[in-house]
């Protein structure tokens, strides 16, 4: 019980309450990584590195990090056309609504220790941005059920072991403990489509624990080129029993598998150029990947989901060591957003449409092994537009843009 309580405390530090950037995965993990648009599979620099590639912890030495991101997503949807309510159609009220809650704090922390000449042990605690929307209840609300929205928070605890099997070659493994909690409101008018209308909406916050693992390799390929690979399996989660009438497979909401591959080149003195590719398999999680289908019941094994496709993200990062104390970073990433035009109705709740991210950052070395890092990013507005699948002739457009900044303190000891 004491161990579980301790893990609860750690997990409570991590979950965020806003819609993240690459679908519902963060564009990067840790201030340094985020400053280069999430690139870093081949170049680890802090004790949050296990979130991207566990093997990177082999190269950061004895180190601790703590920081937080202030994240600001701006989400809205617009509705055009439609008709009067009827038994044959489910029309939304025309007009534009903005989601409330536009500022969220996302903490992270890490610790790493060199335990032998070739092995390290560490711990990284981090979060996905999760999904959060809250639309007001004016004119009956979004779906005719007053205020509507969802809140998904996900936190991860990753103890990590690495083995440096050659001078500049390492493998690492992280048993990943995941914690998530969810709530939904204003969806009761979807009751006739649910397998359990009492477990569909407005049931407060439900939570779930789960587990999996992530493995990785990082190493030197040539004098000026490093490489890295990592894979995280599907994290199997307990069901959200209070929302078994909403999510497919009676409340199942596993966390999809993820792949990283990266290169880091140092052929220009005092500079690094990084290229990463990340792939997220949203389609394999039925509650996320199943398309919206009015002929199936919400909550059933083949029940409707959000219709998200898989997402592949390319990330380009740059780092310049100006002098022994000052480091500068920049990055850009692109990944085609995962929501098809046919899936706009349900994704009013989760408008994960972001594609581009532009980032910048720095690290300033202080005395006593301390350093302070900062990061800022901008994700331009993206939209997706399609027809309401339950309201012929009605168009729905989802849009969002994002801003964020982070600061962290590192200690090399």
């Amino acid at each position: 019980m004491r161990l579980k309580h301790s893990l609860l405390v750690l997990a409570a530090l991590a979950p965020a309450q806003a819609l993240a950037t690459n679908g519902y995965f963060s564009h990067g993990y840790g201030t340094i990584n985020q400053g280069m648009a999430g690139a870093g599979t081949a170049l680890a620099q802090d004790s949050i590195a296990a979130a991207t590639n566990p093997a990177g912890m082999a190269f950061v030495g004895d180190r601790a990090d703590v920081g937080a991101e202030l994240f600001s997503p701006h989400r809205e949807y617009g509705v055009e056309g439609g008709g009067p309510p009827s038994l044959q159609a489910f029309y939304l009220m025309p007009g534009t609504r903005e989601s409330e809650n536009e500022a969220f704090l996302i903490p992270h922390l890490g610790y790493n220790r060199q335990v032998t000449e070739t092995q390290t042990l560490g711990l990284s605690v981090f979060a996905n941005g999760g999904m959060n929307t809250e639309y007001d209840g004016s004119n009956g609300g979004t779906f005719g059920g007053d205020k509507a929205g969802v809140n998904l928070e996900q936190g991860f605890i990753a103890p990590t072991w690495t083995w440096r099997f050659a001078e500049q070659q390492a493998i690492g493994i992280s048993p990943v403990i995941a914690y998530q909690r969810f709530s939904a409101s204003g969806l009761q008018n979807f009751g006739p489509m649910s397998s359990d209308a009492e477990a569909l909406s407005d049931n407060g916050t439900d939570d779930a624990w789960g587990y999996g693992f992530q493995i990785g390799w990082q190493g030197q390929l040539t004098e000026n080129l490093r490489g890295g690979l990592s894979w995280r399996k599907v994290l199997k989660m307990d069901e959200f029993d209070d929302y078994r009438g909403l999510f497919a497979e009676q409340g199942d909401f596993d966390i999809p598998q993820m792949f990283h591959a990266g290169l880091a080149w140092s052929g220009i003195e005092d500079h690094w150029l990084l290229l990463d590719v990340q792939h997220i398999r949203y389609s394999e999680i039925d509650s996320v990947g199943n398309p919206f289908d009015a002929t199936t019941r919400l909550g059933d094994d083949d029940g409707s989901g959000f219709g998200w496709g898989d997402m592949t993200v390319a990330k380009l990062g740059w780092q310049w060591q100006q002098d022994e104390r000052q480091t500068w970073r920049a990055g850009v990433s692109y990944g085609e957003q995962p929501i098809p035009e046919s899936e706009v109705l349900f994704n009013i709740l989760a408008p994960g449409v972001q594609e581009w991210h532009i980032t910048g950052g720095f690290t300033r070395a202080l005395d006593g092994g301390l350093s302070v890092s900062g990061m800022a990013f901008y994700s331009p507005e993206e939209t997706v537009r399609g027809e309401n699948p339950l309201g012929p002739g009605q168009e729905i457009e989802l849009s969002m843009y994002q801003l964020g900044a982070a600061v962290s303190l590192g200690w090399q000891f």
Side-chain angles (χ1 to χ4, degrees), residues 304-327:
S304 292
F306 292 87
W308 284 22
D310 297 338
M311 193 169 187
T312 300
V313 186
K315 307 177 181 187
L316 182 64
W318 165 76
Q319 179 171 290
W320 172 36
Q321 188 74 44
Q322 181 182 2
D323 55 43
E324 63 180 13
R325 285 187 175 267
Q326 187 66 46
T327 306

Side-chain angles (χ1 to χ4, degrees), residues 4 21 25 54 84 109 130 146 152 166 172 192-193 204 212 227 234 255 277 301 303 331:
K4 187 169 184 179
T21 51
F25 279 41
L109 59 92
D146 198 38
L152 173 68
M193 295 179 57
V234 172
I255 298 172
V277 177
D301 288 349

Side-chain angles (χ1 to χ4, degrees), residues 308-385:
W308 284 22
D310 297 338
M311 193 169 187
T312 300
V313 186
K315 307 177 181 187
L316 182 64
W318 165 76
Q319 179 171 290
W320 172 36
Q321 188 74 44
Q322 181 182 2
D323 55 43
E324 63 180 13
R325 285 187 175 267
Q326 187 66 46
T327 306
W328 299 100
R329 301 183 182 90
V332 61
S333 71
Y334 174 79
E336 184 178 1
Q337 60 89 13
I339 302 174
E341 295 177 355
S342 59
E343 302 296 330
V344 290
L345 177 63
F346 238 30
N347 280 292
I348 288 173
L349 300 170
V353 298
Q354 297 312 111
E355 296 187 337
W356 288 96
H357 301 88
I358 302 163
T359 71
F362 72 91
T363 293
R364 181 70 177 177
L366 308 174
D367 295 332
L370 295 174
S371 62
V372 61
S373 298
M375 177 282 302
F377 84 91
Y378 171 61
S379 182
E381 184 176 58
E382 298 287 347
T383 63
V384 60
R385 185 183 181 93

Side-chain angles (χ1 to χ4, degrees), residues 4 18 26 45 54 157 170 187 268 322 359 366 385 390-391:
K4 187 169 184 179
S26 176
Q45 300 186 74
I157 304 165
L187 309 182
I268 302 173
Q322 181 182 2
T359 71
L366 308 174
R385 185 183 181 93
L390 299 181

Side-chain angles (χ1 to χ4, degrees), residues 21 59 80 173 281 323 338 397-398 409:
T21 51
F59 301 102
E80 295 180 2
I173 184 167
R281 303 297 294 272
D323 55 43
E397 182 177 87
L398 314 177
L409 186 66

Side-chain angles (χ1 to χ4, degrees), residues 244 246-253 286-287 290 298-305:
R244 60 188 178 275
L246 172 62
F247 290 131
E249 299 181 296
Q250 298 82 51
D252 187 68
F253 203 95
D286 289 346
S287 53
N290 283 359
L298 293 166
D300 280 351
D301 288 349
D302 60 350
S304 292

Side-chain angles (χ1 to χ4, degrees), residues 141-191:
T142 296
F143 301 116
D146 198 38
K147 283 189 174 184
V150 297
N151 184 46
L152 173 68
E153 307 173 29
Q154 293 180 333
F156 304 90
I157 304 165
T160 301
W161 169 81
T162 72
W163 174 45
R164 201 162 59 246
F165 59 89
E167 184 176 355
Q168 286 294 324
Q169 304 288 333
I171 58 173
I173 184 167
S174 298
V176 180
I177 303 165
Y179 173 74
Q180 60 183 7
R181 52 194 180 201
F182 176 81
S183 62
S185 61
L187 309 182
Q188 53 266 40
N189 284 336
F190 288 100

